[in-house]
Amino acid sequence: MNKFQLLYGRLLGDVGTVFYLSVLIIAGFVTVAALFPDDVERVANQVLDYTANKMGWMYLLATSGFVIFILFLGLSKFGNIRLGPDEEPPEFSFKSWLAMIFSGGMGVGLVFWGVAEPMMHFNEPPLGLDEPRTAEAAQTGMRYAFFHWGLHQWANFALVGLAIAYIRFRHNARGLISETFRPMLGNRVDGGWGVAIDTLAVVSTIFGVATTLGLGALQINSGVARFEGIEYGTSTQMMIIAGLGVLFTISAMTPLKAGIRYLSNLNMIIAIGLFLYVILFGPTAFIFQEFTQTMGEYLGNIVQMSLVTTPYSSEHWVEQWTMFYWAWGLSWAPFVGSFIARISRGRTIREFVLGVMIVPVGLSMLWFAAFGGSAIHLELYEAAGIADAVAREVPAGLYTTLEQMPWGTYAGLAAIALVCVFVITSADSATFVLGMFTSKGVLNPTRFVRVLWGLLQLSMAIVLLLSGGLEGLRTVSIIAAFPFMLLMVLMAFALHRDLTQEFWQREEKERLIRQRVENLLLRESEREAERAAAEEVHPSAPDTVLGPEEPPRVGLGDHSEMPGDTPKPNTEPTPGGSRNSDSTH
């Protein structure tokens, strides 16, 4: 029995109630969805309709509020607070840090939607604003692509990441979602409240990452079907997910500074190479013109786009697109935020906001300008058939676009490799974070726990694909994200309260130090004044030395004699060295 307990403890480490409860919920859902996929799809659609119709406005307001809040923290007095002890250097270099953020964030999504989203909006313009397949529809589609992959998406990650990094590295607390609520809940986070919060974070993360794995499988299947003649269908996608599962399990067996770090750097190398390829061999001038104009339109219309709800029509575009993206980002927030927090030790809050909100957003927009802009140019001016390809098979737009350029087949193979590495990195990062959540916040969960969560992620992705494909992935993401969105609103209040308290304590400490220094300086000045006063009251002795028989004289330098004395000649030398022998008083 002792050997079994020892082996059990070695495999699982220090897990608790959150681990067992989360595994039970996920395994139960996977089992039911595998046995009754049609029923799960029907119920999910009903829940989605209710959530979108009754609570959709909350997604828009909450996500917009997160953008304002994070930018405020980065630009305010809180920006100088370091995520760790003062003067501690960052754990990773700036380039490796950005690479891991970008890879762990939305790498797969950018490759999948880079061409697909602008072309889908080109075929069916947002909110019916333009005629399909016109230049106006193309520009509107690009503007909404920028919007969906801009500040709002990354604000979700930044909020969770900043909250966890602050409590983990500044206060040496456990790296758990529940710990971020301690300023509000106090010691109750150590009980049932904490278990409920962390379990909800785990479930939300599983659904969000499974959505990404499903999108990655669709993109890879489309590519291999195009270049190798393999069938595009569910069975092939299951085999792809299984193959990716083996690869990221191997990666999960390696330390964080080896596996994920090297894969992230490989991601960036392939992504930069593919990006430069499109820039050089695509419509270069058009790409940068598109980027400049769309950036201006995005910044000029961001408020209006952020708050569109279409209450006077039966339009479902906002539900299908904006709400899906926000919900997808929210469901990814526990995973991406925790992973970003783990690699951000030593950064200041201002550096964190810059690295998570500004740099990735700019890179995402450049990516869409390159790939989406090239697809639009080829479709409008060369009739490349990209719009029809996307209408038939959403992931096919990327490969159709690349085929219009020199060595397009090789570029398509590079794109498949990029998606594979992105999926492996994302899944590996997710297993790491899920292991942290379910192992009481330890920074290095056991390999067995990480592999177990990897298998559960794969199972979830498979059943979601079986329960409706792309639409099923969208539906479950929106539903799973709603309760965690409410937690994130409270998390923002708790973080601001904690930062305000620390800043107040810092100001109070600085005030006390200044006061003590002033008191010391005041005492020193008082002592100087006392010494000066003493010198005035007790003047120094005269230069003339009195003889032993000579009576004292009255007054400093006073040569008047006492009564009855006989005047004596002055024999003292003058300043010039002569004697004044005939001077008398």
Side-chain angles (χ1 to χ4, degrees):
M1 185 65 180
N2 290 333
K3 291 183 178 179
F4 175 77
Q5 290 178 342
L6 182 62
L7 177 62
Y8 184 79
R10 185 177 300 173
L11 290 176
L12 295 182
D14 189 16
V15 297
T17 306
V18 174
F19 173 81
Y20 299 108
L21 185 59
S22 301
V23 169
L24 181 63
I25 293 173
I26 298 301
F29 180 87
V30 168
T31 302
V32 172
L35 295 175
F36 310 102
D38 295 334
D39 293 332
V40 169
E41 182 181 5
R42 176 177 52 81
V43 173
N45 286 326
Q46 291 175 351
V47 176
L48 172 64
D49 290 338
Y50 179 83
T51 303
N53 292 331
K54 304 297 183 181
M55 307 293 181
W57 57 272
M58 294 183 65
Y59 284 97
L60 305 183
L61 283 180
T63 309
S64 300
F66 297 155
V67 174
I68 297 172
F69 177 68
I70 293 299
L71 293 177
F72 160 74
L73 291 183
L75 298 174
S76 70
K77 60 186 180 181
F78 303 119
N80 294 324
I81 295 177
R82 190 170 296 276
L83 302 175
D86 293 332
E87 308 303 329
E88 181 182 24
E91 184 177 2
F92 298 96
S93 68
F94 192 72
K95 290 190 293 185
S96 293
W97 181 58
L98 287 180
M100 287 189 281
I101 290 174
F102 200 67
S103 301
M106 303 306 293
V108 175
L110 285 176
V111 179
F112 186 90
W113 294 109
V115 172
E117 181 173 353
M119 295 311 298
M120 291 178 76
H121 296 332
F122 180 73
N123 289 334
E124 297 180 18
L127 303 170
L129 296 176
D130 305 291
E131 291 295 323
R133 301 199 177 190
T134 60
E136 291 77 14
Q139 187 57 44
T140 301
M142 285 295 295
R143 185 174 76 242
Y144 269 95
F146 274 38
F147 171 61
H148 290 148
W149 293 86
L151 296 172
H152 290 68
Q153 191 69 269
W154 286 91
N156 298 320
F157 310 150
L159 173 57
V160 177
L162 184 56
I164 293 178
Y166 177 75
I167 58 100
R168 177 67 186 89
F169 301 126
R170 192 70 180 174
H171 296 321
N172 293 319
R174 296 173 299 170
L176 299 173
I177 298 292
S178 59
E179 285 292 334
T180 64
F181 291 87
R182 191 172 291 276
M184 297 182 65
L185 299 178
N187 293 333
R188 284 175 289 182
V189 299
D190 299 322
W193 282 100
V195 171
I197 291 171
D198 290 329
T199 302
L200 180 59
V202 171
V203 173
S204 178
T205 300
I206 283 286
F207 280 107
V209 176
T211 300
T212 298
L213 294 178
L215 293 178
L218 294 176
Q219 188 70 64
I220 295 170
N221 189 186
S222 178
V224 297
R226 194 174 195 87
F227 298 117
E228 301 296 334
I230 300 175
E231 179 187 2
Y232 181 83
T234 304
S235 59
T236 305
Q237 292 156 14
M238 302 301 106
M239 295 176 61
I240 291 172
I241 289 179
L244 293 173
V246 174
L247 294 175
F248 85 69
T249 299
I250 296 174
S251 176
M253 303 297 288
T254 61
L256 175 66
K257 292 186 177 181
I260 297 177
R261 180 181 180 182
Y262 294 146
L263 285 175
S264 299
N265 291 334
L266 179 60
N267 280 338
M268 293 302 292
I269 292 172
I270 300 175
I272 291 173
L274 194 60
F275 172 78
L276 294 177
Y277 166 81
V278 174
I279 291 290
L280 293 175
F281 294 102
T284 306
F286 182 85
I287 288 172
F288 286 103
Q289 290 172 357
E290 182 70 40
F291 172 77
T292 303
Q293 177 169 331
T294 309
M295 175 68 75
E297 292 187 4
Y298 165 67
L299 295 176
N301 295 276
I302 187 172
V303 175
Q304 185 268 336
M305 291 189 294
S306 299
L307 304 175
V308 171
T309 58
T310 63
Y312 299 107
S313 69
S314 58
E315 174 68 57
H316 293 288
W317 188 90
V318 175
E319 169 190 313
Q320 295 171 347
W321 285 99
T322 303
M323 282 184 55
F324 161 67
Y325 273 120
W326 292 179
W328 187 19
L330 289 166
S331 62
W332 261 59
F335 148 53
V336 180
S338 299
F339 179 71
I340 293 174
R342 172 63 183 84
I343 63 176
S344 298
R345 185 184 184 109
R347 302 284 173 188
T348 65
I349 290 179
R350 186 166 293 114
E351 287 176 328
F352 185 94
V353 172
L354 174 65
V356 180
M357 285 282 286
I358 307 303
V359 175
V361 169
L363 294 175
S364 299
M365 292 179 177
L366 280 171
W367 184 275
F368 270 94
F371 287 84
S374 296
I376 288 172
H377 183 274
L378 292 169
E379 184 66 23
L380 286 176
Y381 301 108
E382 300 182 21
I386 301 173
D388 291 334
V390 171
R392 290 190 303 267
E393 182 183 306
V394 174
L398 172 63
Y399 306 110
T400 307
T401 301
L402 294 176
E403 286 177 350
Q404 312 303 313
M405 303 177 190
W407 305 293
T409 301
Y410 298 105
L413 294 175
I416 295 174
L418 178 61
V419 175
C420 290
V421 181
F422 267 139
V423 169
I424 294 170
T425 307
S426 298
D428 190 2
S429 304
T431 60
F432 185 88
V433 171
L434 290 169
M436 287 174 52
F437 285 169
T438 55
S439 300
K440 300 181 180 179
V442 298
L443 292 180
N444 294 293
T446 66
R447 292 175 178 175
F448 179 82
V449 169
R450 294 174 62 184
V451 171
L452 175 62
W453 283 117
L455 295 175
L456 289 174
Q457 287 180 93
L458 295 176
S459 302
M460 180 66 73
I462 290 172
V463 298
L464 291 181
L465 286 174
L466 292 173
S467 302
L470 180 60
E471 292 301 321
L473 296 173
R474 284 179 167 179
T475 299
V476 175
S477 291
I478 296 175
I479 296 172
F482 182 77
F484 192 73
M485 176 192 68
L486 301 179
L487 284 181
M488 285 180 62
V489 173
L490 298 177
M491 185 186 298
F493 282 103
L495 176 60
H496 184 265
R497 181 176 179 178
D498 214 359
L499 288 171
T500 302
Q501 184 176 5
E502 175 176 340
F503 201 86
W504 178 84
Q505 291 174 347
R506 176 183 292 186
E507 287 186 331
E508 182 67 14
K509 182 179 179 180
E510 291 176 352
R511 187 186 65 81
L512 291 175
I513 291 175
R514 286 196 305 269
Q515 189 177 46
R516 290 175 181 175
V517 171
E518 289 173 358
N519 290 338
L520 290 175
L521 293 176
L522 181 61
R523 293 193 191 103
E524 184 64 27
S525 64
E526 289 176 348
R527 285 193 291 269
E528 290 290 340
E530 290 175 356
R531 282 195 292 267
E535 290 177 356
E536 292 179 1
V537 174
H538 303 286
S540 58
D543 292 336
T544 304
V545 180
L546 300 178
E549 301 293 334
E550 191 175 16
R553 297 173 181 173
V554 179
L556 179 60
D558 187 355
H559 295 275
S560 59
E561 294 80 6
M562 293 294 291
D565 285 349
T566 303
K568 296 181 180 180
N570 187 354
T571 60
E572 291 294 324
T574 62
S578 61
R579 296 177 182 270
N580 188 7
S581 56
D582 57 349
S583 83
T584 57
H585 297 274

